[in-house]
Amino acid sequence: MSLLQFIEHNLLLVAVAVASGAMLVWPYFRRASGGPWVTPAQATHLINREDATIVDVREASEFGAGHVLGARNLPLARIEAAGADLAKRKAKPLIVYCETGDRSAKAAAVLRKQGFERVVNMAGGIKAWREAGLPVEK
C-alpha cells in the first residue's frame, strides 16, 4: 500500500492528525506574532523598576470595569493616533494589554512600527493580572 492509498483510505484519521498538529503549534505562532511577551510578575517589575507606561487597549466600558493601577486607556481603534501622545515616553518600556492578549498583540505591532522600541505585550492580559492576585482599580 502506497502513502497515497493510505491517505485515501484513512482520510478522517489524516485530517485529525493534521488538525491536532496545528493546534499544538498554534500557541507558538500566536506568541511569536505579538512578542515580546511578559508575565504579570515581569510587568510589575518593569513598572516598579523602570517606570514603564501601562496601556490598556480595551474599549472604555471594559476599562471602566477594572484596569491595572495607573494604566492609560487607548482603545485599539485609536492606537495609531495615540503614538504622538506617548512619544515622550519612547525610551521607557511600554506594557500593552487587553482582556486576554489578542488585541494587545496587534496594538504592540502598531506601536513598534511607530518607533517604540521597548513595547511588550502582557501575556494573558487583565485576566492573567487578576488571576495573579494583583491590584485592579475601577
Side-chain angles (χ1 to χ4, degrees), residues 1-137:
M1 180 183 279
S2 72
L3 179 62
L4 189 57
Q5 286 174 328
F6 176 80
I7 292 171
E8 205 174 281
H9 291 287
N10 298 291
L11 192 57
L12 183 61
L13 178 65
V14 171
V16 168
V18 168
S20 65
M23 286 188 276
L24 286 172
V25 297
W26 175 251
Y28 170 76
F29 287 115
R30 182 176 167 261
R31 188 166 288 262
S33 65
W37 294 68
V38 294
T39 64
Q42 291 168 323
T44 57
H45 178 80
L46 286 172
I47 294 164
N48 293 332
R49 304 274 171 119
E50 298 188 43
D51 192 29
T53 300
I54 312 115
V55 178
D56 186 324
V57 297
R58 298 176 299 156
E59 295 300 318
S61 59
E62 295 173 290
F63 182 78
H67 55 274
V68 174
L69 295 168
R72 297 175 66 174
N73 184 226
L74 297 170
L76 181 58
R78 294 190 350 233
I79 202 73
E80 287 188 37
D85 201 25
L86 298 169
K88 57 187 167 238
R89 308 269 310 164
K90 277 193 178 186
K92 301 272 184 183
L94 193 61
I95 302 166
V96 183
Y97 76 92
C98 62
E99 189 66 32
T100 60
D102 294 327
R103 288 179 277 182
S104 56
K106 293 173 188 167
V110 169
L111 290 166
R112 272 190 218 92
K113 285 180 186 173
Q114 292 180 355
F116 291 90
E117 297 169 11
R118 299 187 67 195
V119 179
V120 294
N121 191 357
M122 188 164 61
I126 190 75
K127 192 174 184 180
W129 184 269
R130 285 184 176 127
E131 288 172 0
L134 295 167
V136 175
E137 71 178 331

